[in-house]
Amino acid sequence: MSRNSGLSQASRDPKWVQWILIGITVGFVTLLLILPLGVIFWEAFRKGLKTFTIALSDRNARSAIGLTLLATAICVPLNMVFGLAAAWATTKYSFPGKSLLISIIDLPFAISPVIAGLMLILLYGIHGWFGGVLQGFGLQVIFAVPGVVLATIFVTVPFVARELIPVMQEQGSEQEWAAISLGASAWQTFTKVTLPNIFFPLLYGVLLCTARAMGEFGAVSVVSSNIRGLTNTIPLQIDALYNDYNAPAAFALASILASLSILTLLAKSWLESRIEHRSKESEEIQ
Amino acid sequence: MDSTPWFADRYRTTGAILVLMSFLFGSLAGCGPSSDASRPGVKRQLKNVSYDPTRELYTEFNEAFARHWQETHGETVEFAQSHGGSGKQARAVIEGLDADVVSLALSGDIDAIAEKANALPATWQQNFANNSSPYTSTIVFLVRKGNPKRVGDWGDLVQDGIEVITPNPKTGGGARWNYLAAWGYALSTQLGDLKKVKDPAESAAVAQATEHAKDFISKLYANVPVLDTSARAATNTFIQRGIGDVLITWENEAYLALREAGTDQVELVVPSISILAEPPVAVVERNASGHNNLDLATAYVEHLYSDEGQRIIAKHFYRPRRKEVVSQEDLKRFAEVKLFELTDIAANWKDAQETHFKDRTGVFDQVYSSKAQ
């Protein structure tokens, strides 16, 4: 109700106020978001499709794409499992230090990615706590592919959990209790009651996590050895190419990364409309 | 709600992803360094950790060395080539980046690897000819086309209204050479001959010249609008972003920028005096022997001194040590310039580091922070 009265209040604003506000928003978005994104694509294709395809058929470019997809493929499922477990633990159980735990999950949001990278070096570097032991097994973590994956996981830890916790908090445990009292097993309760309720927020978290995992630069740059074709992810390779005076190739790769992000964004908007749709439906039922 | 069927599908997908993931982890675990004894037909890997502007040089040199090694030993060599700021790269090797060979901007950075990680002997610089520096370079200027601000020598850089682009000497290797070249110029204008710096009889004159040099450095860095972190970043600021009237940079970097930006954009100015920069190369013995690569890494560095290596070096605008094997055409590109050595103005890199670039007490921090106040 209050939302509706707010709306009619706003629509009573003079026309010129409305136009100025719309103008500011559209201008801002165009200047700061659409234009830069457009420039990337324009630069990528400026010298023709051929330069673009040559840039992408480069061995190191493909390796960078491969490594980014690998890191994302490892990071996102892990994050999903962790996010589910964390959300479940913090919303269905009560234990001492719960709110502290929820805050700690948020830590990677607050910590600068550079510091995240340095922390990984302190732990897994050759002089680090675990580095010597791992080296003994012949496993190089920092300045190798596992370090890149670890850094990606670190910076994306909160994404799924952050989406799920508020939803699961709001839903409470009544439906689960009902299922259990009707004789459902714990697993049945989870798969048939809990998961369908949180499916969309879960997917939403996964998408955000994917976008961040693909785009991470800071933390990965600290722990990568900057070896092309080996430990460069797409963002690192873009930076390296740009510093090589190879702007066309840098922008070609940048346009690939931007396309992946735009796809993620589109999927996110579609999900949002689905969520709205569903919540309207459930309101109507009530 | 009709949630059961689609959910079952989703669950299967998740399961598939998990299986895939564990497979990927498994294959990752197998990525550890493997070392085979050297035999014909075997593939070997060599990791060279280098600084920024050598990218083009080593791309070509690695191909040449791979051919040479294939012909002489019948083994295939694959290269992992890493580039970054010299100090950052040294730090990474100290923290465990398993380089077989390091080729950095200054010997101080390799000294740090020897000292902090014990990965090679402290006397590493005597392992190869010419202080283990198969090539040298010097510091020159790039100016805008037509040299509108009439920059001809170091003295012009401290004029009012001149914008100078040079990276931060506390973070970049090339940036330190830039700084020391300017320092040497300032001393030489006062003393006439840099030989006096180490002459005890001239200590009063040297002290006075040092004060003058501090003043010169202070004025020079007051003219720097952007203090980038590395040589390549400074080049980008000057060329791509179009900031500044003069870029102080490596000779090889200047030629590369000239080729990229075109002679209709910028031109080269060679100062009256500059520093002889000796970027050194070393085998990181602990890592190389751990990979069973000691023979390969040593041959790799030695090949830099070979006729072929020296020609590739000259082609990429580094000054070769053995001029006699390089074509006159390539040699002609290097301008005649009076060069002084680091040891003319400091005992060694450690001394230069302590005097000039140490936090707070170093000359750079003192003149740069006094500028800020």
Side-chain angles (χ1 to χ4, degrees):
Chain A
M1 278 307 278
S2 60
R3 215 173 83 191
N4 281 347
S5 63
L7 265 176
S8 55
Q9 173 72 44
S11 57
R12 274 202 298 272
D13 284 341
K15 264 276 177 289
W16 62 270
V17 173
Q18 292 184 28
W19 281 116
I20 284 179
L21 287 180
I22 292 171
I24 288 175
T25 315
V26 170
F28 208 77
V29 167
T30 311
L31 209 67
L32 288 171
L33 300 177
I34 296 175
L35 211 62
L37 207 59
V39 164
I40 287 179
F41 286 95
W42 189 73
E43 285 284 344
F45 291 102
R46 193 163 61 112
K47 293 194 175 154
L49 203 63
K50 206 170 163 210
T51 354
F52 182 80
T53 48
I54 288 173
L56 290 188
S57 58
D58 177 58
R59 195 177 65 90
N60 294 338
R62 274 180 300 156
S63 141
I65 295 172
L67 180 58
T68 295
L69 293 181
L70 171 78
T72 311
I74 294 173
C75 160
V76 171
L78 273 182
N79 207 301
M80 207 165 86
V81 173
F82 167 78
L84 267 172
W88 188 274
T90 53
T91 57
K92 308 284 182 194
Y93 311 138
S94 77
F95 52 90
K98 196 170 87 169
S99 51
L100 183 71
L101 185 67
I102 296 179
S103 321
I104 289 176
I105 291 173
D106 277 348
L107 213 59
F109 276 152
I111 288 181
S112 158
V114 176
I115 296 173
L118 291 177
M119 293 191 312
L120 288 175
I121 288 185
L122 287 182
L123 276 183
Y124 299 101
I126 195 163
H127 305 297
W129 290 10
F130 310 129
V133 180
L134 290 168
Q135 200 81 19
F137 292 111
L139 187 70
Q140 172 115 17
V141 176
I142 298 300
F143 306 120
V145 172
V148 171
V149 175
L150 265 182
T152 311
I153 292 174
F154 182 91
V155 295
T156 54
V157 158
F159 282 87
V160 171
R162 260 295 122 202
E163 288 302 318
L164 291 184
I165 289 171
V167 176
M168 287 171 76
Q169 243 161 9
E170 198 185 332
Q171 279 170 353
S173 313
E174 286 97 351
Q175 291 191 12
E176 277 88 358
W177 282 121
I180 285 168
S181 66
L182 289 172
S185 72
W187 182 245
Q188 280 174 322
T189 312
F190 177 68
T191 56
K192 299 202 166 155
V193 178
T194 313
L195 260 178
N197 275 336
I198 59 166
F199 180 72
F200 281 99
L202 176 64
L203 215 56
Y204 187 81
V206 165
L207 283 176
L208 284 179
C209 174
T210 310
R212 177 66 193 266
M214 290 189 302
E216 176 55 25
F217 180 83
V220 170
S221 131
V222 177
V223 298
S224 158
S225 51
N226 293 305
I227 298 175
R228 292 157 189 234
L230 217 59
T231 57
N232 263 11
T233 59
I234 300 180
L236 295 182
Q237 182 72 8
I238 293 171
D239 187 54
L241 287 170
Y242 184 73
N243 281 335
D244 268 4
Y245 306 107
N246 196 348
F251 284 112
L253 209 51
S255 69
I256 294 290
L257 189 59
S259 307
L260 288 173
S261 313
I262 291 171
L263 271 182
T264 317
L265 201 72
L266 287 179
K268 192 191 96 164
S269 325
W270 174 78
L271 268 179
E272 270 170 352
S273 67
R274 282 298 299 264
I275 292 171
E276 232 163 69
H277 186 68
R278 274 166 53 102
S279 60
K280 256 186 213 149
E281 261 178 12
S282 57
E283 260 170 42
E284 274 160 26
I285 291 165
Q286 281 164 9
Chain B
M1 251 183 282
D2 54 358
S3 52
T4 328
W6 62 255
F7 172 66
D9 263 0
R10 297 287 163 185
Y11 188 70
R12 237 172 266 138
T13 320
T14 314
I17 292 172
L18 283 173
V19 170
L20 185 74
M21 194 186 78
S22 48
F23 171 74
L24 288 171
F25 255 134
S27 58
L28 267 185
C31 280
S34 60
S35 48
D36 276 294
S38 55
R39 311 182 289 268
V42 154
K43 232 183 213 176
R44 298 177 71 179
Q45 278 210 337
L46 193 73
K47 199 175 276 181
N48 179 2
V49 170
S50 193
Y51 61 113
D52 258 330
T54 57
R55 204 166 273 154
E56 293 77 11
L57 164 65
Y58 280 111
T59 304
E60 185 170 349
F61 177 76
N62 288 353
E63 278 172 26
F65 178 74
R67 258 195 317 274
H68 164 77
W69 192 257
Q70 179 79 50
E71 280 161 16
T72 53
H73 292 75
E75 295 174 334
T76 310
V77 186
E78 279 185 348
F79 289 93
Q81 191 66 47
S82 170
H83 295 278
S86 188
K88 183 188 170 195
Q89 295 291 73
R91 180 92 242 166
V93 174
I94 291 168
E95 298 290 349
L97 177 53
D98 57 340
D100 297 296
V101 171
V102 282
S103 45
L104 297 178
L106 42 99
S107 57
D109 285 333
I110 303 184
D111 283 338
I113 299 172
E115 195 181 307
K116 296 205 169 78
N118 245 331
L120 66 168
T123 55
W124 62 271
Q125 213 161 1
Q126 287 149 32
N127 287 357
F128 298 96
N130 306 109
N131 292 328
S132 291
S133 302
Y135 40 82
T136 64
S137 192
T138 187
I139 302 300
V140 297
F141 307 152
L142 271 187
V143 295
R144 303 284 169 205
K145 178 71 191 166
N147 198 356
K149 296 278 172 102
R150 307 238 165 272
V151 174
D153 203 355
W154 291 101
D156 300 324
L157 303 185
V158 297
Q159 308 281 327
D160 284 342
I162 294 265
E163 281 193 330
V164 181
I165 303 297
T166 179
N168 187 344
K170 299 195 70 169
T171 56
R176 287 182 202 166
W177 289 111
N178 292 357
Y179 171 102
L180 291 170
W183 181 264
Y185 163 82
L187 286 185
S188 75
T189 55
Q190 294 296 298
L191 297 173
D193 187 354
L194 284 176
K195 294 236 165 16
K196 290 184 189 164
V197 173
K198 291 189 173 170
D199 185 350
E202 299 279 351
S203 60
V206 170
Q208 200 190 352
T210 305
E211 282 314 306
H212 170 80
K214 277 184 189 172
D215 187 47
F216 183 81
I217 289 286
S218 169
K219 282 183 185 149
L220 175 64
Y221 281 89
N223 278 350
V224 178
V226 187
L227 207 57
D228 283 299
T229 54
S230 73
R232 194 45 75 82
T235 314
N236 277 335
T237 298
F238 186 74
I239 302 279
Q240 317 237 5
R241 292 167 63 196
I243 297 175
D245 303 307
V246 194
L247 172 73
I248 310 178
T249 192
W250 296 102
E251 183 177 45
N252 53 285
E253 180 77 0
Y255 274 109
L256 199 65
L258 215 52
R259 201 172 64 196
E260 294 303 322
T263 43
D264 55 334
Q265 295 290 317
V266 288
E267 53 188 73
L268 192 81
V269 171
V270 180
S272 64
I273 184 171
S274 194
I275 195 163
L276 175 73
E278 295 186 310
V281 177
V283 174
V284 187
E285 290 174 17
R286 195 191 55 200
N287 295 345
S289 56
H291 301 158
N292 280 343
N293 266 350
L294 216 47
D295 58 334
L296 186 67
T298 309
Y300 179 78
V301 174
E302 277 165 358
H303 199 65
L304 283 165
Y305 293 89
S306 72
D307 295 4
E308 183 184 36
Q310 291 283 301
R311 276 186 216 118
I312 294 173
I313 281 165
K315 186 181 158 195
H316 289 276
F317 309 108
Y318 286 85
R319 295 185 177 218
R321 287 293 194 176
R322 296 170 55 225
K323 295 192 178 64
E324 66 278 8
V325 302
V326 175
S327 78
Q328 280 304 312
E329 202 181 319
D330 276 352
L331 279 183
K332 262 196 312 208
R333 299 184 306 190
F334 300 111
E336 285 288 327
V337 50
K338 196 176 156 200
L339 295 175
F340 63 89
E341 296 188 28
L342 174 82
T343 47
D344 290 334
I345 55 170
N348 50 36
W349 261 108
K350 203 170 179 170
D351 172 40
Q353 177 73 28
E354 288 277 313
T355 313
H356 296 281
F357 311 120
K358 200 171 183 220
D359 279 333
R360 292 193 312 278
T361 54
V363 172
F364 179 75
D365 267 7
Q366 294 202 338
V367 302
Y368 201 67
S369 60
S370 68
K371 172 207 151 187
Q373 278 158 14

